[in-house]
Amino acid sequence: MEKIKKITALFLSLALLLALLPSTAWATEAEELPEETAVTEDAAEETDEAQETAPESSVSVETEDDAASQTEEADEETLAESIYSALFGTATIAETSSGSCGENLTWELDDSGTLTISGTGAMEEWEYYSESGSPWYDCSSDIKSVVIEEGVTNISSGAFEDCYNLISVTIANSVTSIGEQAFLYCESLTSITIGNSVTSIGGYAFCCCTSLSSVTIPASVTSIGEGAFDSCDFLEMVYYGGTQSDWSAISIGSYNDYLTQAIIYFADGTTGGGKVCGDNLTWSLDDDGTLTISGTGAMWDFSYDSVEDYYDEETDETYYTLETDIPWYGRYFTSVVIEDG
């Protein structure tokens, strides 16, 4: 965004400069060409003698034309700066890489792409998923790692959305909540460890983190919002700090199948979750679009219901959402194989 502003300002400055220059300026060189004069041999001899008698160290003498040219260049530069300042203000000339993000919090983005949040207290809430969001939104593509230091108490909604190149996140144990869409579309993030004091993970917090393969969730978490891990296609492992009964007590919103169907490793060494569809049945979906049911025994009975989503006054139509616990609902597949057993 800053680069676009600079380029725009440059073109505007040039356009205004061209408009301000008198039309005769372009013909100056042609008009001021001196007439041809005859140089006599005597004049040439006088010139040679003057050069012979001149001292070896030459002194640069500024002519009136040179002075006028420098003055004109200075005026043009001053005019360009004035125009830029009037359009965008002097503060936008240099890209911002640090600032405030809460009453007692600051942020800084270094040359290596590490964004550090420091201080104490809560992070400010912004209008997320827009260019008026977090103060580092304009340089989100430059962020490769995020370090939230001890003392910060929350991660605000949409704080790190669209950080496509983010690969590492460090969350201090002082953080107690992660806001909605906090890490939405962080497509390069492969794993994350959530701080031990976090109690709530907001809706769609890690939605569309398409490279995320593992997540560590502390036993302190009591709620995981709707779609918090939606579209995390490669999420395979969840490391949970509590027991299986603790996990069952968590309020997990809908559209979190990628989370609940991952292999869950509990603190006591047991495992759970996984792609199960019966007491002794599992299911898998390969890259070719084949859904396979394996194991022995009966498949569970699944439920589904159409729930009113919203009413469109313009079209006079009511839209519904299907709520179901069918584990492969919403996945794309072209064939089904039910094996013996």
Side-chain angles (χ1 to χ4, degrees):
M1 183 65 68
E2 297 295 337
K3 293 181 179 177
I4 295 175
K5 288 182 179 180
K6 291 179 180 179
I7 294 172
T8 304
L10 179 59
F11 278 111
L12 289 174
S13 301
L14 290 174
L16 289 173
L17 285 172
L18 292 176
L20 292 172
L21 289 175
S23 59
T24 57
W26 304 105
T28 300
E29 183 177 352
E31 293 176 358
E32 293 183 356
L33 287 176
E35 296 181 359
E36 293 185 1
T37 58
V39 179
T40 63
E41 293 183 359
D42 293 339
E45 291 177 358
E46 291 177 359
T47 302
D48 293 339
E49 292 177 358
Q51 289 179 349
E52 291 176 359
T53 57
E56 293 183 1
S57 59
S58 60
V59 179
S60 175
V61 180
E62 185 180 85
T63 64
E64 292 183 2
D65 289 342
D66 291 336
S69 176
Q70 291 180 4
T71 302
E72 185 178 351
E73 290 177 1
D75 291 341
E76 291 175 0
E77 184 177 351
T78 302
L79 178 59
E81 291 177 353
S82 299
I83 294 171
Y84 192 100
S85 178
L87 290 172
F88 303 111
T90 55
T92 58
I93 294 177
E95 291 189 9
T96 303
S97 58
S98 63
S100 173
C101 56
E103 186 174 352
N104 296 302
L105 295 180
T106 59
W107 67 276
E108 182 177 3
L109 178 63
D110 64 23
D111 294 338
S112 67
T114 299
L115 175 65
T116 303
I117 312 295
S118 308
T120 58
M123 193 180 296
E124 184 180 347
E125 289 290 341
W126 304 284
E127 182 182 349
Y128 58 89
Y129 207 61
S130 70
E131 294 190 8
S132 59
S134 62
W136 49 80
Y137 186 89
D138 285 343
C139 45
S140 57
S141 62
D142 298 325
I143 299 174
K144 297 179 180 179
S145 64
V146 169
V147 177
I148 301 175
E149 295 186 343
E150 194 70 29
V152 182
T153 59
N154 75 310
I155 299 175
S156 63
S157 299
F160 306 106
E161 62 176 341
D162 294 338
C163 291
Y164 303 110
N165 297 315
L166 178 63
I167 58 176
S168 170
V169 177
T170 302
I171 302 176
N173 289 330
S174 56
V175 174
T176 60
S177 65
I178 299 175
E180 295 181 354
Q181 302 183 15
F183 295 92
L184 179 67
Y185 288 116
C186 291
E187 298 175 348
S188 299
L189 189 63
T190 57
S191 65
I192 187 167
T193 298
I194 297 172
N196 290 332
S197 299
V198 172
T199 60
S200 63
I201 300 173
Y204 301 95
F206 297 94
C207 178
C208 297
C209 292
T210 52
S211 298
L212 190 64
S213 61
S214 68
V215 58
T216 300
I217 299 176
S220 58
V221 171
T222 59
S223 65
I224 298 175
E226 177 182 289
F229 293 90
D230 189 23
S231 298
C232 294
D233 304 53
F234 291 96
L235 183 57
E236 295 289 341
M237 296 173 289
V238 175
Y239 299 94
Y240 179 59
T243 63
Q244 189 161 358
S245 60
D246 294 332
W247 177 264
S248 299
I250 298 176
S251 173
I252 302 178
S254 56
Y255 308 112
N256 277 302
D257 293 344
Y258 290 101
L259 174 70
T260 57
Q261 292 170 9
I263 302 297
I264 303 173
Y265 297 89
F266 300 106
D268 58 7
T270 61
T271 59
K275 295 178 172 62
V276 295
C277 54
D279 291 341
N280 296 299
L281 293 179
T282 61
W283 66 276
S284 62
L285 182 62
D286 62 25
D287 295 336
D288 295 328
T290 300
L291 176 67
T292 303
I293 311 297
S294 308
T296 59
M299 191 182 300
W300 290 330
D301 290 328
F302 302 110
S303 63
Y304 61 91
D305 188 22
S306 295
V307 179
E308 183 176 337
D309 193 359
Y310 69 95
Y311 171 72
D312 191 330
E313 295 182 356
E314 293 184 3
T315 61
D316 192 29
E317 294 182 354
T318 301
Y319 293 83
Y320 295 87
T321 298
L322 179 63
E323 290 189 352
T324 179
D325 57 359
I326 299 174
W328 48 79
Y329 175 74
R331 308 290 183 96
Y332 176 79
F333 54 92
T334 56
S335 62
V336 176
V337 176
I338 301 177
E339 296 182 345
D340 288 338

